[in-house]
Amino acid sequence: DAGVTQSPTHLIKTRGQQVTLRCSPKSGHDTVSWYQQALGQGPQFIFQYYEEEERQRGNFPDRFSGHQFPNYSSELNVNALLLGDSALYLCASRFGFGGLEQYFGPGTRLTVT
Amino acid sequence: EDKVVQSPLSLVVHEGDTVTLNCSYEVTNFRSLLWYKQEKKAPTFLFMLTSSGIEKKSGRLSSILDKKELFSILNITATQTGDSAVYLCALNTGNQFYFGTGTSLTVIP
């Protein structure tokens, strides 16, 4: 049973650049959420995709955008990177928009210099 | 405003000790409460709780929910060094999951 996968594992970017992170949900799951986790903090909700649409969004600027594909995989795009965007980006999946359990991928560590 | 508060923020114990981690919450629409263990990167799922008073157990770990007093506890008995991690509590409101800042547990040999 394939779990949630994310790529790349690590990424180093320069301020002002753009980045795309990728996520494949756990087998059987159709809802994908993205989180940003700064050091020493809990994960902060960015947005959630279900049926290829953004269904819910946290308190993040429009520089953060995403997409969900017909196979349920998802991308997170961040434009005009700031130093403060350096964090661990986690993808999580669940079955159904209101699914009770959620499973995480290994995360992408983004460093902005 | 929906929020999750975990306590203590950090804890250092010796192997064999028993620990209790706390999670209190305020949410407008409760669907489930989840506990995760985070070591290096990805939080790994431990428990999901939906009903008050029903204990979930997995080996030395157990958890219970009190929906009247709006809190949950995670107990770890006979702690081992491998239990050292950050333990996260998350509330599912249906639309999204709200996380606490976590409790950092260090188990000393």
Side-chain angles (χ1 to χ4, degrees):
Chain A
D1 179 20
V4 182
T5 60
Q6 290 186 245
S7 64
T9 306
H10 295 90
L11 207 48
I12 300 175
K13 290 286 189 178
T14 304
R15 270 180 301 177
Q17 285 189 316
Q18 177 263 344
V19 68
T20 298
L21 310 182
R22 296 177 176 82
C23 170
S24 290
K26 180 179 168 65
S27 179
H29 286 184
D30 56 7
T31 302
V32 174
S33 297
W34 286 92
Y35 294 84
Q36 180 194 67
Q37 187 176 25
L39 207 58
Q41 300 294 317
Q44 296 295 311
F45 175 75
I46 302 175
F47 42 53
Q48 177 174 243
Y49 277 85
Y50 173 69
E51 293 185 336
E52 300 179 50
E53 288 189 19
E54 183 184 295
R55 300 290 180 162
Q56 195 76 16
R57 189 179 184 92
N59 189 24
F60 279 81
D62 292 345
R63 298 187 297 110
F64 290 77
S65 63
H67 189 78
Q68 185 179 36
F69 299 94
N71 66 353
Y72 309 122
S73 67
S74 177
E75 288 181 349
L76 164 66
N77 300 293
V78 187
N79 293 321
L81 284 167
L82 304 173
L83 294 179
D85 294 332
S86 295
L88 179 67
Y89 288 85
L90 295 164
C91 170
S93 72
R94 55 178 166 164
F95 174 69
F97 181 65
L100 298 179
E101 296 183 9
Q102 178 174 250
Y103 296 86
F104 282 88
T108 294
R109 173 73 64 188
L110 173 65
T111 302
V112 182
T113 62
Chain B
E1 181 184 331
D2 297 334
K3 66 177 180 181
V4 178
V5 178
Q6 292 188 245
S7 63
L9 289 181
S10 65
L11 200 51
V12 180
V13 300
H14 289 95
E15 266 192 321
D17 287 349
T18 293
V19 297
T20 298
L21 310 182
N22 301 288
C23 174
S24 63
Y25 63 90
E26 292 178 25
V27 288
T28 52
N29 180 30
F30 178 92
R31 293 291 308 280
S32 60
L33 183 147
L34 287 77
W35 284 97
Y36 293 89
K37 176 183 182 182
Q38 186 173 29
E39 293 177 87
K40 294 276 194 252
K41 273 199 173 180
T44 53
F45 175 82
L46 295 175
F47 297 112
M48 183 195 69
L49 304 160
T50 56
S51 300
S52 280
I54 299 175
E55 186 182 52
K56 293 280 185 87
K57 277 184 74 78
S58 177
R60 298 175 293 102
L61 277 66
S62 64
S63 184
I64 198 161
L65 173 67
D66 186 327
K67 291 171 73 173
K68 182 180 177 186
E69 299 298 329
L70 307 183
F71 76 91
S72 174
I73 60 172
L74 174 67
N75 281 316
I76 307 175
T77 59
T79 51
Q80 302 171 357
T81 55
D83 295 328
S84 295
V86 173
Y87 290 83
L88 294 165
C89 171
L91 266 296
N92 175 10
T93 63
N95 291 333
Q96 61 174 285
F97 288 75
Y98 292 89
F99 282 82
T101 54
T103 293
S104 176
L105 173 65
T106 303
V107 181
I108 301 171

